[in-house]
Amino acid sequence: DTGVSQNPRHKITKRGQNVTFRCDPISEHNRLYWYRQTLGQGPEFLTYFQNEAQLEKSRLLSDRFSAERPKGSFSTLEIQRTEQGDSAMYLCASSLEVSYNEQFFGPGTRLTVL
Amino acid sequence: RKEVEQDPGPFNVPEGATVAFNCTYSNSASQSFFWYRQDCRKEPKLLMSVYSSGNEDGRFTAQLNRASQYISLLIRDSKLSDSATYLCVVTSNTGGFKTIFGAGTRLFVKA
């Protein structure tokens, strides 16, 4: 399978715990994006990387959220001290660095904070 | 005002019908435009990129009107399998890179 993969697919955690999600992009894609989606809404942009550089962060990304892409390949998104409002689907996408950068999405990680 | 707005629907149409969705965007400097399709509890999948000249892919036609700042998607000869949520997506690179999704338009195609 050469598509975008995400792990885990589901995560249930208690409020206050830390969680980490992983995204493996399509291998030749140098751009990687993280989004959050809640029921009835479109995905909301969180952050994106070009290779290992984090170039943009949304105001939605509070200081409890951190993302890394240390070698320009896979990326991790960590949420510290989770809150019930963090419950959502976390989607990762990747694209080439071209003018019409079509993004391809992974299956997402569904987070439930109890 | 939302940066990307879509009619949430739902649109309920019979098989074989033609259905059209519109999407408006507020940033006149937006550069790239797309339609994605999302099935229930699945990830969005790219349906079409929307170019200035408009483009067609089988039963699907997308148009861009920069002057009025809207994009459209036309689906001809609707199939049951077209039932999904259609997401309008706009990207810009002014004041920082942004990808903005609309909230989606739900389509139900019935036999």
Side-chain angles (χ1 to χ4, degrees):
Chain A
D1 187 352
T2 56
V4 179
S5 62
Q6 292 186 245
N7 287 289
R9 295 291 304 276
H10 303 274
K11 179 70 177 179
I12 300 173
T13 192
K14 292 183 179 178
R15 193 172 46 189
Q17 298 295 304
N18 299 343
V19 294
T20 300
F21 310 141
R22 175 177 170 130
C23 171
D24 288 87
I26 293 170
S27 57
E28 62 267 29
H29 286 183
N30 61 344
R31 286 186 174 176
L32 186 149
Y33 312 79
W34 284 100
Y35 294 86
R36 180 173 66 190
Q37 187 174 25
T38 53
L39 195 63
Q41 300 299 315
E44 294 175 293
F45 172 77
L46 294 177
T47 188
Y48 101 100
F49 292 84
Q50 183 157 304
N51 300 311
E52 65 275 10
Q54 188 173 18
L55 296 186
E56 198 72 35
K57 288 172 63 172
S58 165
R59 286 170 296 176
L60 293 174
L61 213 66
S62 78
D63 56 5
R64 296 185 299 107
F65 288 70
S66 63
E68 294 183 343
R69 195 183 183 198
K71 297 181 181 178
S73 56
F74 74 91
S75 175
T76 57
L77 177 68
E78 181 182 16
I79 309 173
Q80 296 182 323
R81 305 181 302 281
T82 52
E83 301 172 355
Q84 287 185 323
D86 297 332
S87 295
M89 175 74 87
Y90 289 84
L91 292 160
C92 175
S94 69
S95 76
L96 291 168
E97 184 188 350
V98 293
S99 59
Y100 236 82
N101 55 329
E102 293 150 338
Q103 297 178 34
F104 297 89
F105 282 81
T109 296
R110 184 168 295 279
L111 173 66
T112 302
V113 182
L114 303 176
Chain B
R1 181 187 173 191
K2 291 183 180 179
E3 292 186 75
V4 176
E5 293 202 72
Q6 296 182 249
D7 181 344
F11 285 63
N12 293 288
V13 302
E15 269 188 298
T18 296
V19 62
F21 307 137
N22 284 335
C23 166
T24 58
Y25 60 95
S26 61
N27 184 355
S28 60
S30 297
Q31 297 169 308
S32 306
F33 308 88
F34 309 89
W35 284 101
Y36 279 73
R37 170 200 168 119
Q38 188 170 29
D39 293 291
C40 189
R41 302 183 75 85
K42 298 285 190 181
E43 73 273 22
K45 291 189 187 295
L46 179 66
L47 180 66
M48 298 178 76
S49 302
V50 188
Y51 304 117
S52 296
S53 55
N55 45 308
E56 185 174 318
D57 182 4
R59 297 182 294 108
F60 299 85
T61 300
Q63 297 280 348
L64 167 63
N65 185 319
R66 284 191 182 270
S68 302
Q69 294 181 205
Y70 77 83
I71 67 173
S72 63
L73 178 68
L74 183 77
I75 306 175
R76 289 182 297 277
D77 189 23
S78 299
K79 312 291 184 191
L80 294 175
S81 57
D82 293 334
S83 298
T85 296
Y86 290 84
L87 298 163
C88 170
V89 184
V90 176
T91 68
S92 66
N93 204 17
T94 51
F97 176 81
K98 277 183 166 184
T99 301
I100 309 294
F101 279 74
T105 298
R106 296 196 71 186
L107 172 66
F108 294 101
V109 181
K110 53 188 188 296

mmCIF file of all heavy atoms in Angstrom, chain A residues 49-97:
data_model
loop_
_atom_site.group_PDB
_atom_site.id
_atom_site.type_symbol
_atom_site.label_atom_id
_atom_site.label_comp_id
_atom_site.label_asym_id
_atom_site.label_seq_id
_atom_site.Cartn_x
_atom_site.Cartn_y
_atom_site.Cartn_z
ATOM 1 N N PHE A 49 4.207 20.745 7.149
ATOM 2 C CA PHE A 49 5.664 20.616 7.033
ATOM 3 C C PHE A 49 6.049 20.568 5.561
ATOM 4 O O PHE A 49 5.362 19.960 4.740
ATOM 5 C CB PHE A 49 6.146 19.306 7.685
ATOM 6 C CG PHE A 49 5.983 19.277 9.166
ATOM 7 C CD1 PHE A 49 4.765 18.913 9.742
ATOM 8 C CD2 PHE A 49 7.035 19.584 10.000
ATOM 9 C CE1 PHE A 49 4.616 18.862 11.119
ATOM 10 C CE2 PHE A 49 6.895 19.531 11.383
ATOM 11 C CZ PHE A 49 5.689 19.177 11.937
ATOM 12 N N GLN A 50 7.172 21.176 5.280
ATOM 13 C CA GLN A 50 7.823 20.954 3.998
ATOM 14 C C GLN A 50 9.158 20.318 4.346
ATOM 15 O O GLN A 50 10.008 20.958 4.978
ATOM 16 C CB GLN A 50 8.016 22.246 3.227
ATOM 17 C CG GLN A 50 8.621 22.023 1.871
ATOM 18 C CD GLN A 50 8.315 23.150 0.909
ATOM 19 O OE1 GLN A 50 7.153 23.481 0.681
ATOM 20 N NE2 GLN A 50 9.356 23.761 0.377
ATOM 21 N N ASN A 51 9.307 19.069 3.965
ATOM 22 C CA ASN A 51 10.429 18.249 4.457
ATOM 23 C C ASN A 51 10.373 18.258 5.986
ATOM 24 O O ASN A 51 9.314 17.991 6.547
ATOM 25 C CB ASN A 51 11.736 18.759 3.890
ATOM 26 C CG ASN A 51 11.730 18.701 2.363
ATOM 27 O OD1 ASN A 51 11.380 17.669 1.783
ATOM 28 N ND2 ASN A 51 12.080 19.804 1.720
ATOM 29 N N GLU A 52 11.459 18.594 6.669
ATOM 30 C CA GLU A 52 11.424 18.545 8.135
ATOM 31 C C GLU A 52 11.021 19.875 8.762
ATOM 32 O O GLU A 52 10.846 19.962 9.981
ATOM 33 C CB GLU A 52 12.773 18.093 8.684
ATOM 34 C CG GLU A 52 13.917 19.053 8.429
ATOM 35 C CD GLU A 52 14.562 18.846 7.065
ATOM 36 O OE1 GLU A 52 14.006 18.087 6.241
ATOM 37 O OE2 GLU A 52 15.610 19.463 6.830
ATOM 38 N N ALA A 53 10.852 20.913 7.958
ATOM 39 C CA ALA A 53 10.556 22.244 8.485
ATOM 40 C C ALA A 53 9.042 22.438 8.671
ATOM 41 O O ALA A 53 8.266 22.232 7.737
ATOM 42 C CB ALA A 53 11.106 23.298 7.547
ATOM 43 N N GLN A 54 8.674 22.850 9.875
ATOM 44 C CA GLN A 54 7.275 23.165 10.149
ATOM 45 C C GLN A 54 7.052 24.612 9.731
ATOM 46 O O GLN A 54 7.528 25.544 10.382
ATOM 47 C CB GLN A 54 6.960 22.986 11.641
ATOM 48 C CG GLN A 54 5.494 23.117 11.974
ATOM 49 C CD GLN A 54 5.188 22.775 13.432
ATOM 50 O OE1 GLN A 54 6.068 22.760 14.281
ATOM 51 N NE2 GLN A 54 3.933 22.484 13.730
ATOM 52 N N LEU A 55 6.310 24.818 8.636
ATOM 53 C CA LEU A 55 6.218 26.135 8.020
ATOM 54 C C LEU A 55 4.997 26.936 8.444
ATOM 55 O O LEU A 55 4.977 28.159 8.278
ATOM 56 C CB LEU A 55 6.246 26.011 6.497
ATOM 57 C CG LEU A 55 7.527 25.450 5.894
ATOM 58 C CD1 LEU A 55 7.474 25.515 4.377
ATOM 59 C CD2 LEU A 55 8.755 26.170 6.423
ATOM 60 N N GLU A 56 3.987 26.263 8.935
ATOM 61 C CA GLU A 56 2.764 26.986 9.262
ATOM 62 C C GLU A 56 2.059 26.282 10.402
ATOM 63 O O GLU A 56 1.993 25.050 10.434
ATOM 64 C CB GLU A 56 1.844 27.039 8.042
ATOM 65 C CG GLU A 56 0.764 28.107 8.112
ATOM 66 C CD GLU A 56 1.298 29.517 7.948
ATOM 67 O OE1 GLU A 56 2.244 29.696 7.183
ATOM 68 O OE2 GLU A 56 0.765 30.422 8.607
ATOM 69 N N LYS A 57 1.547 27.072 11.341
ATOM 70 C CA LYS A 57 0.768 26.527 12.451
ATOM 71 C C LYS A 57 -0.495 27.343 12.607
ATOM 72 O O LYS A 57 -0.438 28.571 12.670
ATOM 73 C CB LYS A 57 1.568 26.584 13.752
ATOM 74 C CG LYS A 57 2.709 25.595 13.838
ATOM 75 C CD LYS A 57 3.574 25.838 15.058
ATOM 76 C CE LYS A 57 2.821 25.638 16.350
ATOM 77 N NZ LYS A 57 3.712 25.682 17.525
ATOM 78 N N SER A 58 -1.617 26.680 12.706
ATOM 79 C CA SER A 58 -2.882 27.365 12.914
ATOM 80 C C SER A 58 -2.988 27.860 14.355
ATOM 81 O O SER A 58 -2.394 27.287 15.276
ATOM 82 C CB SER A 58 -4.030 26.404 12.614
ATOM 83 O OG SER A 58 -5.240 26.876 13.114
ATOM 84 N N ARG A 59 -3.811 28.887 14.534
ATOM 85 C CA ARG A 59 -4.098 29.347 15.903
ATOM 86 C C ARG A 59 -4.839 28.273 16.682
ATOM 87 O O ARG A 59 -4.890 28.309 17.908
ATOM 88 C CB ARG A 59 -4.952 30.616 15.850
ATOM 89 C CG ARG A 59 -4.156 31.840 15.423
ATOM 90 C CD ARG A 59 -5.081 33.001 15.155
ATOM 91 N NE ARG A 59 -5.957 32.730 14.039
ATOM 92 C CZ ARG A 59 -6.920 33.548 13.630
ATOM 93 N NH1 ARG A 59 -7.160 34.661 14.271
ATOM 94 N NH2 ARG A 59 -7.666 33.232 12.602
ATOM 95 N N LEU A 60 -5.431 27.295 15.953
ATOM 96 C CA LEU A 60 -6.102 26.179 16.634
ATOM 97 C C LEU A 60 -5.105 25.315 17.402
ATOM 98 O O LEU A 60 -5.478 24.600 18.326
ATOM 99 C CB LEU A 60 -6.817 25.294 15.606
ATOM 100 C CG LEU A 60 -8.003 25.882 14.875
ATOM 101 C CD1 LEU A 60 -8.477 24.903 13.805
ATOM 102 C CD2 LEU A 60 -9.144 26.172 15.848
ATOM 103 N N LEU A 61 -3.845 25.380 16.989
ATOM 104 C CA LEU A 61 -2.830 24.516 17.591
ATOM 105 C C LEU A 61 -2.331 25.170 18.874
ATOM 106 O O LEU A 61 -1.363 25.936 18.864
ATOM 107 C CB LEU A 61 -1.686 24.312 16.593
ATOM 108 C CG LEU A 61 -0.979 22.967 16.629
ATOM 109 C CD1 LEU A 61 -1.908 21.854 16.206
ATOM 110 C CD2 LEU A 61 0.246 22.976 15.737
ATOM 111 N N SER A 62 -3.008 24.834 19.986
ATOM 112 C CA SER A 62 -2.620 25.425 21.269
ATOM 113 C C SER A 62 -1.277 24.870 21.711
ATOM 114 O O SER A 62 -0.721 23.957 21.095
ATOM 115 C CB SER A 62 -3.686 25.113 22.319
ATOM 116 O OG SER A 62 -3.549 23.776 22.775
ATOM 117 N N ASP A 63 -0.760 25.415 22.818
ATOM 118 C CA ASP A 63 0.551 24.979 23.281
ATOM 119 C C ASP A 63 0.518 23.545 23.813
ATOM 120 O O ASP A 63 1.567 22.981 24.121
ATOM 121 C CB ASP A 63 1.108 25.956 24.326
ATOM 122 C CG ASP A 63 0.171 26.136 25.500
ATOM 123 O OD1 ASP A 63 -0.863 25.422 25.551
ATOM 124 O OD2 ASP A 63 0.441 26.995 26.348
ATOM 125 N N ARG A 64 -0.656 22.938 23.893
ATOM 126 C CA ARG A 64 -0.707 21.526 24.286
ATOM 127 C C ARG A 64 -0.429 20.601 23.096
ATOM 128 O O ARG A 64 -0.220 19.412 23.274
ATOM 129 C CB ARG A 64 -2.078 21.195 24.880
ATOM 130 C CG ARG A 64 -2.396 21.932 26.169
ATOM 131 C CD ARG A 64 -3.718 21.458 26.761
ATOM 132 N NE ARG A 64 -4.848 21.706 25.864
ATOM 133 C CZ ARG A 64 -5.476 20.759 25.180
ATOM 134 N NH1 ARG A 64 -5.104 19.499 25.276
ATOM 135 N NH2 ARG A 64 -6.497 21.079 24.409
ATOM 136 N N PHE A 65 -0.458 21.160 21.913
ATOM 137 C CA PHE A 65 -0.252 20.378 20.695
ATOM 138 C C PHE A 65 1.153 20.622 20.165
ATOM 139 O O PHE A 65 1.615 21.758 20.104
ATOM 140 C CB PHE A 65 -1.242 20.811 19.609
ATOM 141 C CG PHE A 65 -2.664 20.389 19.835
ATOM 142 C CD1 PHE A 65 -3.419 20.953 20.856
ATOM 143 C CD2 PHE A 65 -3.262 19.441 19.016
ATOM 144 C CE1 PHE A 65 -4.733 20.574 21.062
ATOM 145 C CE2 PHE A 65 -4.587 19.063 19.215
ATOM 146 C CZ PHE A 65 -5.312 19.634 20.226
ATOM 147 N N SER A 66 1.809 19.563 19.764
ATOM 148 C CA SER A 66 3.105 19.724 19.101
ATOM 149 C C SER A 66 3.229 18.684 18.005
ATOM 150 O O SER A 66 2.763 17.556 18.143
ATOM 151 C CB SER A 66 4.254 19.607 20.105
ATOM 152 O OG SER A 66 4.265 18.312 20.685
ATOM 153 N N ALA A 67 3.834 19.088 16.906
ATOM 154 C CA ALA A 67 4.029 18.184 15.786
ATOM 155 C C ALA A 67 5.493 18.223 15.385
ATOM 156 O O ALA A 67 6.147 19.249 15.489
ATOM 157 C CB ALA A 67 3.145 18.581 14.612
ATOM 158 N N GLU A 68 5.968 17.071 14.934
ATOM 159 C CA GLU A 68 7.350 16.957 14.486
ATOM 160 C C GLU A 68 7.415 16.135 13.218
ATOM 161 O O GLU A 68 6.579 15.268 12.983
ATOM 162 C CB GLU A 68 8.209 16.268 15.564
ATOM 163 C CG GLU A 68 8.371 17.043 16.840
ATOM 164 C CD GLU A 68 9.282 16.318 17.816
ATOM 165 O OE1 GLU A 68 9.510 15.102 17.632
ATOM 166 O OE2 GLU A 68 9.770 16.968 18.757
ATOM 167 N N ARG A 69 8.468 16.390 12.476
ATOM 168 C CA ARG A 69 8.779 15.558 11.303
ATOM 169 C C ARG A 69 10.294 15.530 11.186
ATOM 170 O O ARG A 69 10.879 16.152 10.319
ATOM 171 C CB ARG A 69 8.132 16.140 10.045
ATOM 172 C CG ARG A 69 8.109 15.163 8.887
ATOM 173 C CD ARG A 69 7.528 15.803 7.640
ATOM 174 N NE ARG A 69 7.465 14.812 6.566
ATOM 175 C CZ ARG A 69 7.346 15.134 5.288
ATOM 176 N NH1 ARG A 69 7.275 16.407 4.914
ATOM 177 N NH2 ARG A 69 7.282 14.192 4.377
ATOM 178 N N PRO A 70 10.940 14.810 12.104
ATOM 179 C CA PRO A 70 12.389 14.940 12.315
ATOM 180 C C PRO A 70 13.262 14.621 11.109
ATOM 181 O O PRO A 70 14.296 15.251 10.928
ATOM 182 C CB PRO A 70 12.666 13.984 13.473
ATOM 183 C CG PRO A 70 11.491 13.068 13.525
ATOM 184 C CD PRO A 70 10.332 13.822 13.005
ATOM 185 N N LYS A 71 12.884 13.696 10.294
ATOM 186 C CA LYS A 71 13.742 13.333 9.162
ATOM 187 C C LYS A 71 13.062 13.623 7.841
ATOM 188 O O LYS A 71 13.491 13.130 6.790
ATOM 189 C CB LYS A 71 14.128 11.857 9.240
ATOM 190 C CG LYS A 71 14.959 11.520 10.475
ATOM 191 C CD LYS A 71 15.332 10.059 10.511
ATOM 192 C CE LYS A 71 16.142 9.757 11.768
ATOM 193 N NZ LYS A 71 16.491 8.319 11.856
ATOM 194 N N GLY A 72 12.003 14.393 7.896
ATOM 195 C CA GLY A 72 11.314 14.726 6.662
ATOM 196 C C GLY A 72 10.521 13.574 6.078
ATOM 197 O O GLY A 72 10.106 13.651 4.920
ATOM 198 N N SER A 73 10.316 12.516 6.876
ATOM 199 C CA SER A 73 9.504 11.411 6.352
ATOM 200 C C SER A 73 8.223 11.322 7.183
ATOM 201 O O SER A 73 7.297 12.092 6.953
ATOM 202 C CB SER A 73 10.288 10.105 6.369
ATOM 203 O OG SER A 73 10.758 9.820 7.686
ATOM 204 N N PHE A 74 8.172 10.450 8.189
ATOM 205 C CA PHE A 74 6.959 10.343 9.004
ATOM 206 C C PHE A 74 6.857 11.539 9.940
ATOM 207 O O PHE A 74 7.837 12.269 10.185
ATOM 208 C CB PHE A 74 6.955 9.025 9.792
ATOM 209 C CG PHE A 74 7.910 8.998 10.947
ATOM 210 C CD1 PHE A 74 7.495 9.402 12.218
ATOM 211 C CD2 PHE A 74 9.212 8.578 10.783
ATOM 212 C CE1 PHE A 74 8.377 9.386 13.292
ATOM 213 C CE2 PHE A 74 10.101 8.558 11.833
ATOM 214 C CZ PHE A 74 9.677 8.966 13.098
ATOM 215 N N SER A 75 5.642 11.740 10.460
ATOM 216 C CA SER A 75 5.399 12.838 11.389
ATOM 217 C C SER A 75 4.635 12.318 12.600
ATOM 218 O O SER A 75 3.928 11.303 12.519
ATOM 219 C CB SER A 75 4.580 13.936 10.709
ATOM 220 O OG SER A 75 4.238 14.969 11.614
ATOM 221 N N THR A 76 4.811 13.005 13.715
ATOM 222 C CA THR A 76 4.027 12.701 14.908
ATOM 223 C C THR A 76 3.308 13.960 15.379
ATOM 224 O O THR A 76 3.812 15.079 15.213
ATOM 225 C CB THR A 76 4.905 12.170 16.060
ATOM 226 O OG1 THR A 76 5.920 13.128 16.358
ATOM 227 C CG2 THR A 76 5.545 10.845 15.696
ATOM 228 N N LEU A 77 2.107 13.736 15.911
ATOM 229 C CA LEU A 77 1.324 14.807 16.520
ATOM 230 C C LEU A 77 1.073 14.395 17.964
ATOM 231 O O LEU A 77 0.506 13.329 18.207
ATOM 232 C CB LEU A 77 0.002 15.005 15.778
ATOM 233 C CG LEU A 77 -0.948 16.063 16.351
ATOM 234 C CD1 LEU A 77 -0.378 17.463 16.176
ATOM 235 C CD2 LEU A 77 -2.326 15.966 15.688
ATOM 236 N N GLU A 78 1.502 15.202 18.900
ATOM 237 C CA GLU A 78 1.308 14.902 20.308
ATOM 238 C C GLU A 78 0.349 15.908 20.917
ATOM 239 O O GLU A 78 0.439 17.116 20.648
ATOM 240 C CB GLU A 78 2.632 14.940 21.084
ATOM 241 C CG GLU A 78 2.467 14.604 22.558
ATOM 242 C CD GLU A 78 3.736 14.686 23.374
ATOM 243 O OE1 GLU A 78 4.717 15.296 22.908
ATOM 244 O OE2 GLU A 78 3.744 14.149 24.497
ATOM 245 N N ILE A 79 -0.560 15.403 21.720
ATOM 246 C CA ILE A 79 -1.458 16.257 22.492
ATOM 247 C C ILE A 79 -1.187 15.988 23.958
ATOM 248 O O ILE A 79 -1.300 14.843 24.418
ATOM 249 C CB ILE A 79 -2.938 15.993 22.181
ATOM 250 C CG1 ILE A 79 -3.200 16.024 20.689
ATOM 251 C CG2 ILE A 79 -3.808 17.029 22.886
ATOM 252 C CD1 ILE A 79 -4.617 15.614 20.296
ATOM 253 N N GLN A 80 -0.814 17.007 24.679
ATOM 254 C CA GLN A 80 -0.550 16.860 26.112
ATOM 255 C C GLN A 80 -1.788 17.274 26.908
ATOM 256 O O GLN A 80 -2.563 18.137 26.472
ATOM 257 C CB GLN A 80 0.643 17.727 26.509
ATOM 258 C CG GLN A 80 1.941 17.292 25.837
ATOM 259 C CD GLN A 80 3.131 18.133 26.293
ATOM 260 O OE1 GLN A 80 3.010 19.333 26.517
ATOM 261 N NE2 GLN A 80 4.277 17.492 26.457
ATOM 262 N N ARG A 81 -1.943 16.638 28.029
ATOM 263 C CA ARG A 81 -3.033 17.005 28.972
ATOM 264 C C ARG A 81 -4.359 17.107 28.226
ATOM 265 O O ARG A 81 -5.020 18.149 28.197
ATOM 266 C CB ARG A 81 -2.710 18.323 29.679
ATOM 267 C CG ARG A 81 -1.376 18.320 30.387
ATOM 268 C CD ARG A 81 -1.115 19.641 31.103
ATOM 269 N NE ARG A 81 -1.153 20.799 30.215
ATOM 270 C CZ ARG A 81 -0.191 21.174 29.407
ATOM 271 N NH1 ARG A 81 0.941 20.460 29.345
ATOM 272 N NH2 ARG A 81 -0.313 22.254 28.652
ATOM 273 N N THR A 82 -4.746 15.990 27.612
ATOM 274 C CA THR A 82 -5.929 15.999 26.759
ATOM 275 C C THR A 82 -7.165 16.487 27.502
ATOM 276 O O THR A 82 -7.327 16.265 28.712
ATOM 277 C CB THR A 82 -6.207 14.598 26.188
ATOM 278 O OG1 THR A 82 -6.241 13.647 27.267
ATOM 279 C CG2 THR A 82 -5.156 14.203 25.168
ATOM 280 N N GLU A 83 -8.048 17.133 26.734
ATOM 281 C CA GLU A 83 -9.330 17.630 27.231
ATOM 282 C C GLU A 83 -10.426 16.983 26.396
ATOM 283 O O GLU A 83 -10.180 16.538 25.276
ATOM 284 C CB GLU A 83 -9.374 19.155 27.083
ATOM 285 C CG GLU A 83 -8.258 19.871 27.821
ATOM 286 C CD GLU A 83 -8.221 21.362 27.503
ATOM 287 O OE1 GLU A 83 -9.003 21.824 26.644
ATOM 288 O OE2 GLU A 83 -7.384 22.056 28.123
ATOM 289 N N GLN A 84 -11.646 16.991 26.937
ATOM 290 C CA GLN A 84 -12.749 16.372 26.202
ATOM 291 C C GLN A 84 -12.968 17.053 24.855
ATOM 292 O O GLN A 84 -13.352 16.413 23.872
ATOM 293 C CB GLN A 84 -14.023 16.393 27.052
ATOM 294 C CG GLN A 84 -13.978 15.387 28.186
ATOM 295 C CD GLN A 84 -15.280 15.315 28.961
ATOM 296 O OE1 GLN A 84 -15.949 16.325 29.172
ATOM 297 N NE2 GLN A 84 -15.625 14.122 29.399
ATOM 298 N N GLY A 85 -12.696 18.333 24.773
ATOM 299 C CA GLY A 85 -12.848 19.058 23.513
ATOM 300 C C GLY A 85 -11.848 18.648 22.440
ATOM 301 O O GLY A 85 -11.990 19.056 21.287
ATOM 302 N N ASP A 86 -10.848 17.869 22.818
ATOM 303 C CA ASP A 86 -9.883 17.377 21.825
ATOM 304 C C ASP A 86 -10.428 16.174 21.066
ATOM 305 O O ASP A 86 -9.816 15.741 20.073
ATOM 306 C CB ASP A 86 -8.569 16.974 22.512
ATOM 307 C CG ASP A 86 -7.865 18.141 23.180
ATOM 308 O OD1 ASP A 86 -8.049 19.287 22.718
ATOM 309 O OD2 ASP A 86 -7.148 17.900 24.172
ATOM 310 N N SER A 87 -11.543 15.620 21.505
ATOM 311 C CA SER A 87 -12.127 14.466 20.827
ATOM 312 C C SER A 87 -12.485 14.857 19.398
ATOM 313 O O SER A 87 -13.224 15.830 19.176
ATOM 314 C CB SER A 87 -13.383 13.990 21.559
ATOM 315 O OG SER A 87 -13.055 13.508 22.845
ATOM 316 N N ALA A 88 -11.946 14.139 18.452
ATOM 317 C CA ALA A 88 -12.110 14.474 17.039
ATOM 318 C C ALA A 88 -11.417 13.407 16.211
ATOM 319 O O ALA A 88 -10.766 12.505 16.743
ATOM 320 C CB ALA A 88 -11.492 15.837 16.723
ATOM 321 N N MET A 89 -11.545 13.552 14.889
ATOM 322 C CA MET A 89 -10.737 12.748 13.965
ATOM 323 C C MET A 89 -9.532 13.585 13.581
ATOM 324 O O MET A 89 -9.687 14.750 13.178
ATOM 325 C CB MET A 89 -11.555 12.406 12.720
ATOM 326 C CG MET A 89 -10.759 11.685 11.661
ATOM 327 S SD MET A 89 -10.443 9.977 12.112
ATOM 328 C CE MET A 89 -11.926 9.206 11.470
ATOM 329 N N TYR A 90 -8.353 13.026 13.717
ATOM 330 C CA TYR A 90 -7.130 13.720 13.334
ATOM 331 C C TYR A 90 -6.641 13.115 12.017
ATOM 332 O O TYR A 90 -6.333 11.926 11.933
ATOM 333 C CB TYR A 90 -6.080 13.635 14.437
ATOM 334 C CG TYR A 90 -6.493 14.491 15.612
ATOM 335 C CD1 TYR A 90 -7.368 13.989 16.579
ATOM 336 C CD2 TYR A 90 -6.082 15.814 15.718
ATOM 337 C CE1 TYR A 90 -7.807 14.788 17.637
ATOM 338 C CE2 TYR A 90 -6.502 16.616 16.767
ATOM 339 C CZ TYR A 90 -7.371 16.099 17.709
ATOM 340 O OH TYR A 90 -7.807 16.889 18.743
ATOM 341 N N LEU A 91 -6.614 13.957 11.010
ATOM 342 C CA LEU A 91 -6.289 13.521 9.653
ATOM 343 C C LEU A 91 -4.917 14.036 9.246
ATOM 344 O O LEU A 91 -4.546 15.165 9.552
ATOM 345 C CB LEU A 91 -7.323 14.055 8.665
ATOM 346 C CG LEU A 91 -8.726 13.474 8.777
ATOM 347 C CD1 LEU A 91 -9.737 14.401 8.102
ATOM 348 C CD2 LEU A 91 -8.802 12.103 8.153
ATOM 349 N N CYS A 92 -4.213 13.211 8.538
ATOM 350 C CA CYS A 92 -2.917 13.579 7.974
ATOM 351 C C CYS A 92 -3.042 13.520 6.459
ATOM 352 O O CYS A 92 -3.753 12.653 5.908
ATOM 353 C CB CYS A 92 -1.857 12.601 8.465
ATOM 354 S SG CYS A 92 -0.230 12.820 7.745
ATOM 355 N N ALA A 93 -2.382 14.421 5.771
ATOM 356 C CA ALA A 93 -2.369 14.411 4.312
ATOM 357 C C ALA A 93 -0.956 14.706 3.830
ATOM 358 O O ALA A 93 -0.141 15.269 4.571
ATOM 359 C CB ALA A 93 -3.345 15.440 3.753
ATOM 360 N N SER A 94 -0.672 14.324 2.611
ATOM 361 C CA SER A 94 0.633 14.662 2.042
ATOM 362 C C SER A 94 0.454 15.110 0.600
ATOM 363 O O SER A 94 -0.562 14.815 -0.050
ATOM 364 C CB SER A 94 1.609 13.487 2.138
ATOM 365 O OG SER A 94 1.253 12.425 1.287
ATOM 366 N N SER A 95 1.449 15.836 0.108
ATOM 367 C CA SER A 95 1.403 16.311 -1.271
ATOM 368 C C SER A 95 2.823 16.557 -1.758
ATOM 369 O O SER A 95 3.778 16.627 -0.989
ATOM 370 C CB SER A 95 0.592 17.610 -1.375
ATOM 371 O OG SER A 95 1.341 18.719 -0.898
ATOM 372 N N LEU A 96 2.920 16.692 -3.064
ATOM 373 C CA LEU A 96 4.167 17.144 -3.657
ATOM 374 C C LEU A 96 4.248 18.660 -3.553
ATOM 375 O O LEU A 96 3.221 19.338 -3.375
ATOM 376 C CB LEU A 96 4.215 16.731 -5.130
ATOM 377 C CG LEU A 96 4.356 15.240 -5.403
ATOM 378 C CD1 LEU A 96 4.086 14.960 -6.874
ATOM 379 C CD2 LEU A 96 5.739 14.768 -5.008
ATOM 380 N N GLU A 97 5.444 19.176 -3.700
ATOM 381 C CA GLU A 97 5.626 20.628 -3.699
ATOM 382 C C GLU A 97 5.479 21.120 -5.129
ATOM 383 O O GLU A 97 6.443 21.341 -5.833
ATOM 384 C CB GLU A 97 7.005 20.993 -3.152
ATOM 385 C CG GLU A 97 7.233 22.486 -3.019
ATOM 386 C CD GLU A 97 8.665 22.815 -2.675
ATOM 387 O OE1 GLU A 97 9.425 21.887 -2.351
ATOM 388 O OE2 GLU A 97 9.031 24.007 -2.749
#
